[in-house]
Amino acid sequence: MYLGVEFDPDSNTTVSGRSGDATNWLPSGSLFYVRSITDRLTAGLGMFGYFGLALDYNDNWVGRYYVDETKLQGLNFMPALAYKVNGWLSIGAGLNVMYAMLEQKVKVNNALDTLPDGELKIKDEDVAYGAVIGVLIEASPKTRFGIQYISEMSLDFEDRPKFRNLGPGLKTILGRLDELDLGMTAPDSVMVSAYHELTDKWAVMGNVGWQQWSEFGKVDVT
């Protein structure tokens, strides 16, 4: 995935510095394995990432006191079972396990001590659990419809802020900070899909999805 993120300061920018550019390529991949247990029961395992982002701005950019580098990555492991109820209906369910990593760096304004910028860093990992359920309807040998629901997952990151290159004034103030509790929610989602074979060689497919991003929340350390 190619991510283009740029920031250009203007007359309203109150901090001196350069324009920001966090443009980057983000690799992604997945692996799925399926095995039939009986004529009606199938087991599978998926390993994939559908959640996360990474940004790394250039040095001395004007927004460095809000974000300098940030990484929020989730790797999912999903064992699942599917059962063919009859000739037209199948149901499935699985456990969704997410291993998530958070790392954030921001610059600290040392203006109080008239020194160059300091730095704040937090880093933590967490494991969250959720569920996935699905229904597949085969209306005909050439047409089928499906619906899938993935539940939300709660992540709770904790870390004591680590500082570097602070002036004596800010070190006295910020050195008293306790551990931060940075809770957030990976949103739930619903996906409706359709498949239809036009000929022996051609088929059309489509998805319509919904995700509850209003539950995501915001993880900021400034």
Side-chain angles (χ1 to χ4, degrees), residues 107-185:
K107 298 300 182 183
V108 178
N109 191 343
N110 265 324
L112 180 66
D113 297 295
T114 62
L115 295 172
D117 291 339
E119 184 180 79
L120 176 152
K121 176 182 177 180
I122 59 170
K123 184 178 181 179
D124 194 25
E125 304 167 354
D126 194 21
V127 177
Y129 301 91
V132 56
I133 57 175
V135 176
L136 181 68
I137 298 173
E138 298 184 62
S140 73
K142 294 186 176 182
T143 305
R144 57 182 181 261
F145 302 93
I147 182 169
Q148 178 197 63
Y149 172 74
I150 299 178
S151 68
E152 69 179 27
M153 289 175 284
S154 298
L155 297 166
D156 187 17
F157 298 109
E158 295 180 351
D159 191 25
R160 185 180 179 88
K162 301 173 182 65
F163 295 98
R164 189 166 62 93
N165 298 332
L166 288 186
L170 281 179
K171 186 178 294 186
T172 301
I173 299 172
L174 298 178
R176 299 180 180 182
L177 285 179
D178 292 327
E179 191 169 74
L180 298 177
D181 186 0
L182 305 172
M184 57 167 293
T185 300

Side-chain angles (χ1 to χ4, degrees), residues 138-145 194-200 202-204:
E138 298 184 62
S140 73
K142 294 186 176 182
T143 305
R144 57 182 181 261
F145 302 93
Y195 171 93
H196 179 68
E197 292 184 11
L198 300 175
T199 68
D200 292 340
W202 288 93
V204 292

